[in-house]
Amino acid sequence: MSSSWETPLPYKVRTGKVFASKPLPEGDRLFYAFSSTYVLRDICHSDTVLYLGKKIFISKDKFESSLRPLTIPKSMRVANSPTVTPNESHSGHSGVWGTGLSAARCRVTGSRKRAGGASVTSALFTSNSKLLLVVNKKVYMYNYLSNRWHKAIGIYQPVSHISGDKCCFKNEFCLELSYKVFAYLRGGPLPRTKIYFSDNGGFAFQSLASEKLDGLEGTLGGVFHFHSFSQVGILEVKDKLGSFHYMEHPLNHSAGIPFKYNDPLDVIIKPGQRGFLVLWNQTSLLVSPNSGQIIETVQLWRGNTIVTPNISDMGINIHSIASNTYELALLTRENVVYYGSQGYLGTTLVQLPDQPLWSEETGISFTDTGMLEVLTPVADPQFPAFDFQKCIVNVQAVLNTPDLQIEPCNVEFLDSTMVEQMFTIDMNSQLDLSALMIPRPGKIPIPLVMVSNPHSLGLEAHIIEFGNTFDGNYKYKLEIELRQQQQQDSADLNFTTSIKRNTISSVTVDIADKTVACVDLKPLSTLISIGCDKTKKILVQNKISACSMGILSPVELQRNYTYTIEKEAYSPISYDAEAQSDLLVYYQYEKLGCPRLVYYDKPWKPVVEMWKNGILEEIMNAEYVITEVNGITTYTYSLTAATANCRSQPQNWSTFKSDFYFLFEGTLWNRENYISCHEENKDNPLLWPEVEYQILGGQTDNRVIFGQRNGIYTFLLSVVDPYYSYCSLETMFSVYVDGALPMAFFSPELSITLLVFTTLLSTWLAYAIPKELSTERGQRLRNFCSRLFEGCLGLCRCSWLWSRLWSRLWSRLKLWLRSRRVGDQPERIPRTQRNQTDTEAVRGL
């Protein structure tokens, strides 16, 4: 390299050749099917690099060691490929790659024809140490850590390319994005050409069925996951024009702007989920800043002058292309290197000083921002392993060369805390971000804030002065407010995506008028998930519990506490029949804690709290449902469909009765299948207004009414309101119902009848008995009862105590009877006769 590049001299990597090589098993040599070279880097694991050329190499250490070419074992049965003998190269090399989907869909007009080996037309990094390769129109997976090969299942027709978009954030959401892969035959007629998709990183594929495909009539140029746009894009080629079609609302009835498509173009999805694409072949170069909606040409600049608005018109012959999140570089067969940056307002390239770089095996790639690596494999006639000649070019230093006459960068500093982070915006939420900018003295740069998916994410941005630097330069703070586009006052339903659908968007802060020299001042970008915020959870308030009131003991509850549910009180959840016996239930104290205390005669509903990151956010007022997990049915609801003001028939638990066994998986009744009855529904009119309304919360004051049963109830609460959160919010809680009296043996009607009858009978007897005793027959009855009573007491007297007690009782009885006779019949019996009668009666007794 000459000194004008101001870079280190090239050096050759040669390692491990003093040791004996292991015998090489037989296999089929892999080679890149096209005459260009391509260096594919794992964007999440920078040490892992794949080189595609006359031979294919995969390295774990950035090609800092000698490697043998990659081969595929004979057991994979690669058809129509000559076999590599054990004396030739083998796949026993080391290779590392990461967890991504940086795809090499390289295709140029010229192709490389080899007498032996297996032709590779496309390569893709996926997660968990896997590399996908299209070999002889079949998809194979290679685990470079274990050196194992696997043929993808589910693909039954020839394919030529695979595509995907890797996400590097370490979370489950990002991993799901990286698992999504398409396999297809480029150039196949639409709609007959089969398109295959995988959601497990390429282990298995399924055929893609879509009504959108049925309406396309051209040939297939490619199919891609545009995660930053929350769309699947299909490139259709028809009448030498290409256009992208999309499968999701609101773009499923429109297409991108058509562009010239004379020869097959490879589509590179640039990393970072910003929506940038590069479409290229040997003689053409196009770019897109918005996932194919608009296709732009690439400008070539010299100093401050535009040489051409379309570099493809200069007759370039691209041999190798390099791109990262923000940059683009070309190496042509004319031994020219072009470098530039890709932005939302356009892509510009400049020609770097002439250097003797090109060879048929040379490939270029970015190792970091502004660091371009030139890589060339070098064969060793003594060993099967290849050496590698490397040269690192510091592009920033080259652009500072006065001969290029490039204006210095107009910004000194641009930074933010949002870089290398992923944020989540849930429904009814807002995200505030900021960035700090310091311009070059005397310059007034224009900051630019862009979102890749304006159909889902809306923004407002403000810039304010934020103090001064030590040398008196101004500092500016850019304040950004992000929220769902559907919540913006200016949002139109025909422009926004469905609010029920999870989407993704990136946010990028850049300088609109920055120069090519701003290599080290890369844009600030982050990824926003408009979806479930997994830091959210719901809890049911427990201010008054059965433990705090002394009804239950927390110590006893933790000692494998059990309680019994009467067979009359529950319905088995595993089958539709009456319970045959009582149910014994173990109380899960670790999950439920002390039960909340509820009195049976008071209508009740739980108070649900929304927590985020361990902080109480609000008392939830969304619609939710509850169900008793053990099948207890001794509770009802206070509202009916009519009193809840339903306009259509409401859903209830019987709607999902056939799926009841899915209860504990949380898939029974949720936000995905909930339909509000407060909206008109011609397919489900309100036919039974007296049916129970079983939804709590929201715009109604529906409550739970417990039956006359004391005991523990364990409920599963699920939020069904589709406009409250993208999360499937659930929680389990328990209540203890107290204050219910035991169930009566007789029915209330019978009890009231018996009470009234007894009262009337007692009243009549109080009147009739004294009257009857005043007659002669009453006197005989009274004498008989007295003698009977005296005889019974005589049997019981067994000591002097009983005698004295009996005497006293008898004296009092006689006095009472005498007074009754005197008071009842003063006129019928003369006084003297009455005295005589009394005396005889006493003697007789």
Side-chain angles (χ1 to χ4, degrees), residues 811-839:
S811 300
R812 291 181 179 274
L813 179 61
K814 288 192 294 183
L815 292 175
W816 180 78
L817 292 175
R818 184 180 297 114
S819 64
R820 291 288 295 175
R821 286 196 299 270
V822 173
D824 290 343
Q825 301 186 66
E827 299 177 355
R828 285 190 179 185
I829 305 175
R831 181 178 300 271
T832 56
Q833 187 177 352
R834 286 203 305 269
N835 293 338
Q836 182 180 0
T837 303
D838 291 342
T839 303

Side-chain angles (χ1 to χ4, degrees), residues 308-328:
T308 176
N310 186 1
I311 194 173
S312 301
D313 294 339
M314 295 182 60
I316 59 174
N317 195 338
I318 301 174
H319 176 66
S320 186
I321 188 170
S323 66
N324 59 15
T325 308
Y326 314 102
E327 301 170 291
L328 182 65

